[in-house]
Amino acid sequence: MYCYHCGKKIDEHKIESQKTSFEKEVEYSEYTKVQYICPRCGHLIHEGLSEEDSKELSRASHAQIQRANNSYARGMCMNALGVILLIIAIIFFILANKPSQGFVLQTNCAEFYVFIVATIVSVILLGVGVYLTIIGLKTRHHYSQLLKDLNNKTFVQ
């Protein structure tokens, strides 16, 4: 199920498998209307889809796609900065091989320390950048498919 207000996907089977908060057991028939509360925004989620609910879910999906695009852009920016910093780290590694010492790596010079710091920061930037890029692409694809289903009137809550 999707929240009509914020677009969050909720797994109703996971919610129903948890223990009930009622102190006594309640009998449910097939006509009982089940509603859930969205953990993100607090709005009621119900089965069935009215025209207004469809429009609200479409707006929420567009907002989620925009958030995914922002995540993708942040990830690609971090990837670019990480690659640039990695190139700088490689340059400082080459500079740490002193020609006056026979091109032997000197681990007690400033160039080597800059190489270590730049490498660590670039690996962190690349890791976070790849993560944000993948999350952005997956989210954008998921909500694009949801919008496609809403436009084709094939979406079932």
Side-chain angles (χ1 to χ4, degrees), residues 65-79 124-140:
I65 288 174
Q66 185 62 40
R67 285 187 197 102
N69 287 338
N70 290 341
S71 175
Y72 176 76
R74 277 194 313 266
M76 290 303 289
C77 180
M78 286 185 179
N79 287 336
I124 291 170
L125 282 173
L126 286 172
V128 172
V130 167
Y131 173 76
L132 287 175
T133 302
I134 290 172
I135 292 298
L137 287 173
K138 287 174 73 174
T139 304
R140 182 171 59 188

Side-chain angles (χ1 to χ4, degrees), residues 11-21 36:
D11 188 12
E12 65 269 8
H13 300 296
K14 187 176 179 182
I15 293 173
E16 289 176 1
S17 66
Q18 296 173 351
K19 187 178 178 188
T20 182
S21 60
Y36 301 101

Side-chain angles (χ1 to χ4, degrees), residues 6-154:
C6 67
K8 180 173 176 60
K9 182 171 175 51
I10 297 169
D11 188 12
E12 65 269 8
H13 300 296
K14 187 176 179 182
I15 293 173
E16 289 176 1
S17 66
Q18 296 173 351
K19 187 178 178 188
T20 182
S21 60
F22 291 119
E23 294 177 9
K24 61 180 182 176
E25 287 296 320
V26 179
E27 294 292 326
Y28 294 108
S29 68
E30 60 188 49
Y31 302 109
T32 304
K33 188 174 180 181
V34 178
Q35 294 182 342
Y36 301 101
I37 296 176
C38 177
R40 184 189 288 173
C41 65
H43 282 77
L44 285 176
I45 304 167
H46 54 82
E47 292 181 351
L49 186 69
S50 68
E51 187 66 31
E52 184 61 34
D53 291 338
S54 174
K55 288 180 183 179
E56 193 171 358
L57 184 57
S58 177
R59 285 189 294 267
S61 297
H62 281 289
Q64 287 292 97
I65 288 174
Q66 185 62 40
R67 285 187 197 102
N69 287 338
N70 290 341
S71 175
Y72 176 76
R74 277 194 313 266
M76 290 303 289
C77 180
M78 286 185 179
N79 287 336
L81 289 175
V83 167
I84 291 169
L85 200 56
L86 188 61
I87 291 170
I88 292 171
I90 291 170
I91 291 171
F92 274 96
F93 179 74
I94 293 170
L95 290 175
N97 295 320
K98 299 288 184 182
S100 62
Q101 303 293 328
F103 291 103
V104 177
L105 180 64
Q106 300 296 316
T107 59
N108 56 357
C109 62
E111 292 89 356
F112 184 73
Y113 295 131
V114 172
F115 159 72
I116 294 296
V117 170
T119 303
I120 290 171
V121 171
S122 68
V123 166
I124 291 170
L125 282 173
L126 286 172
V128 172
V130 167
Y131 173 76
L132 287 175
T133 302
I134 290 172
I135 292 298
L137 287 173
K138 287 174 73 174
T139 304
R140 182 171 59 188
H141 176 72
H142 178 76
Y143 282 99
S144 295
Q145 291 297 322
L146 177 64
L147 279 175
K148 186 177 177 182
D149 288 343
L150 284 171
N151 288 337
N152 294 335
K153 307 278 191 223
T154 58

